Amino acid sequence: MYAPADDIAPPTVSPATPAEVFARAARHGDEHVVKLADAVLDAHAASGDDRLLTTPGYAGQLI
């Protein structure tokens, strides 16, 4: 259901620092993107997994 069509490439998100991740989410303005960014930053602080930092930007492109 949520998979993109076969001929559509997924959005690309450039790497960012945690501060920039939240700034991008705030600029986007959608409350869901902002809430996701907040949750992702908590998860990143706990795990140190930098892959998490692209999630809010990816969601923002899909919304």
Side-chain angles (χ1 to χ4, degrees):
M1 172 188 260
Y2 295 105
D6 290 336
D7 59 343
I8 298 174
T12 57
V13 179
S14 58
T17 65
E20 180 60 22
V21 167
F22 196 80
R24 289 177 185 177
R27 281 193 304 270
H28 185 283
D30 183 88
E31 66 182 289
H32 298 95
V33 175
V34 174
K35 288 177 184 178
L36 177 63
D38 185 45
V40 162
L41 291 174
D42 287 344
H44 177 263
S47 71
D49 187 348
D50 288 338
R51 295 175 298 172
L52 294 168
L53 297 177
T54 61
T55 308
Y58 182 77
Q61 291 181 32
L62 294 174
I63 292 178

